Amino acid sequence: MAEPAAAPARTHGTTGLLGAGGPLGAAVAVAGVALLGLAATARPATPAAGWLVLGLASAVTPLLRITLPSGIAVTPLGGLALGVLFRYGWPGALLVLVPGVVVDGVRRRRAPARVGTALGQYALALGGAGAVTPAAGAEALSAWVVALGGAVYTVVWAAIEAAMRRAAPAARLAVRPPVGVDALLAPAAMVPGGVLVAALAQATGAEVAGLAVGSALWLLVGAAAWGAAATRTAQRKIADLTRRLDDAMVAVERLAVADPLTGLYNRRQFHLRLEEEFRREARANTPFSVLLLDIVQFRQLNETHGHLVGDAVLQQLARLLDGAVRPGDLLFRIGGDEFAALLPRTDRPAAEAALQRLVALAAATPLPAGSRRILVSLQGAVATAPEAGANPESLLAAATAALDRARALRRAQPSAADAAPPSS
């Protein structure tokens, strides 16, 4: 049977009886208790063993709960109750509800008011069905009895569910989506169970045996549906965990190859790619170049504007340089303010031209850093294989030595732009 999903532990609005769904929830609970009182005075003449069978089956149903995407919880309880309604009339159907609703409330630690509201929703739906559906008794279970009773039960239950959702506090609506087709399909799915229970009770001369077999079969159907739903839920969780693991692995892999601040390849990747480039270019017997760059007076920029501005400058400069190198060239951050580039199939004149282009681009491009726009000066050096080095170590040493000479020359001949870290 379908029932309203539990409200969140805390909602905005009233508490106590009205907290189970506001005034509407209170009215549903009161109506349910009243109908239950009427049912208790008109209990059908079913053997005590039959009531025991139905009571046990009802109490088991909370274990077979399936929560639909809309938040509606479905159990086989409605099927048992409809079976009794088709066979014995609505008073017995309402009495069958009680063990299942109470056990479910205790198991889920629901407030008494919430249990009363759930019982009232069941009771009103079954009472409406009983008002238009005569009990089959000794007669054959007719199709129109099933169709009419099932339709009324479905419509009443869905109408109450929709009204409860609309009247619910905004906090609850933010947690679960409004009722859709599930509100009709959930109670309608209980009708076949009612037919099964009633038909088996009617088909055998021993009412208790028929009720036992019908209830057991219906609970088996519910168990199968619960198992299928649990499997789908487990599969979704496994798929979600797998996706998260894949994302974590990608993140770890990226951390292993990328500089976390700029997103460029890191120093370790620079050395690995430099070795690969040597092997590739040695086979092809073509030149390639290493380009080293750093920012002039970057320490002073940090001291003047702060490290946050310095980090922003590094990020923006990395983005600028990465967009300016040729396709196939690789850019790296190999130190605090130090960058490197591998230029495949590039001789020394072409590499020096690339260096001058990048230096000029940085000098002409103010870099946004918070509320400031910073102009930076770059200095760099080039080393080309194989003439500057026959292996990664010697080539990198040649490039480093050339950069050191460029730094020394700049310190010996400072320009006006070096006097202070520029900003605008």
Side-chain angles (χ1 to χ4, degrees):
M1 155 72 232
E3 63 167 289
R10 298 187 63 182
T11 59
H12 300 290
T14 55
T15 58
L17 181 61
L18 296 184
L24 178 60
V28 170
V30 170
V33 171
L35 286 174
L36 190 61
L38 291 176
T41 63
R43 179 173 62 86
T46 303
W51 288 113
L52 179 62
V53 167
L54 293 170
L56 290 174
S58 176
V60 169
T61 57
L63 302 177
L64 306 177
R65 170 179 303 277
I66 301 171
T67 301
L68 302 176
S70 65
I72 298 174
V74 181
T75 72
L77 182 56
L80 293 174
L82 283 172
V84 176
L85 183 145
F86 294 148
R87 180 64 180 157
Y88 303 112
W90 69 270
L94 265 62
L95 295 176
V96 167
L97 287 170
V98 177
V101 174
V102 172
V103 169
D104 183 56
V106 172
R107 178 173 174 267
R108 300 174 65 191
R109 299 180 182 178
R110 300 170 78 176
R114 192 70 189 88
V115 175
T117 300
L119 181 63
Q121 184 171 0
Y122 282 126
L124 289 172
L126 288 169
V132 297
T133 306
E139 301 175 0
L141 193 64
S142 63
W144 77 268
V145 168
V146 173
L148 184 59
V152 172
Y153 173 82
T154 298
V155 170
V156 173
W157 195 96
I160 294 174
E161 179 69 20
M164 291 281 288
R165 291 296 181 92
R166 283 195 297 270
R172 182 178 176 188
L173 293 178
V175 174
R176 293 187 174 90
V179 174
V181 178
D182 285 349
L184 289 171
L185 294 182
M190 300 298 109
V191 178
V195 174
L196 176 65
V197 173
L200 288 176
Q202 186 180 60
T204 177
E207 290 284 320
V208 175
L211 288 173
V213 173
S215 299
L217 288 177
W218 177 234
L219 290 180
L220 284 175
V221 171
W226 175 85
T231 300
R232 288 194 298 271
T233 300
Q235 290 172 341
R236 286 196 298 269
K237 289 182 178 179
I238 291 173
D240 182 61
L241 289 174
T242 301
R243 179 185 58 78
R244 293 184 183 183
L245 180 60
D246 291 341
D247 291 344
M249 292 297 292
V250 170
V252 170
E253 182 178 352
R254 179 166 180 79
L255 286 175
V257 301
D259 169 55
L261 178 64
T262 63
L264 299 178
Y265 287 117
N266 59 23
R267 185 182 188 90
R268 178 174 179 272
Q269 284 298 304
F270 171 66
H271 288 286
L272 292 175
R273 296 300 181 94
L274 182 59
E275 293 177 358
E276 292 176 1
E277 198 63 33
F278 256 98
R279 290 193 295 268
R280 181 182 302 111
E281 300 299 347
R283 290 193 300 269
N285 196 26
T286 57
F288 75 94
S289 296
V290 171
L291 188 155
L292 298 182
L293 287 164
D294 67 6
I295 301 174
V296 176
Q297 295 186 340
F298 183 69
R299 178 182 296 178
Q300 186 177 349
L301 185 149
N302 270 332
E303 292 173 352
T304 303
H305 298 295
H307 289 281
L308 291 179
V309 170
D311 287 348
V313 167
L314 290 173
Q315 291 171 331
Q316 296 298 326
L317 180 61
R319 189 172 303 161
L320 177 70
L321 297 178
D322 194 38
V325 297
R326 303 170 305 177
D329 294 346
L330 297 178
L331 188 65
F332 306 82
R333 182 188 178 208
I334 59 174
D337 66 331
E338 297 175 348
F339 298 86
L342 289 181
L343 311 180
R345 295 176 174 81
T346 305
D347 57 17
R348 185 175 182 84
E352 289 178 342
L355 172 60
Q356 294 304 318
R357 180 169 54 85
L358 294 178
V359 170
L361 176 64
T365 307
L367 303 175
S371 60
R372 298 179 175 87
R373 297 180 69 82
I374 307 294
L375 276 171
V376 298
S377 296
L378 296 181
Q379 57 192 359
V382 168
T384 301
E387 61 265 23
N391 55 59
E393 292 77 14
S394 60
L395 182 66
L396 185 56
T400 302
L403 182 59
D404 289 340
R405 290 194 296 272
R407 289 167 176 162
L409 180 62
R410 188 149 193 150
R411 285 194 295 269
Q413 299 176 347
S415 65
D418 298 337
S423 64
S424 61

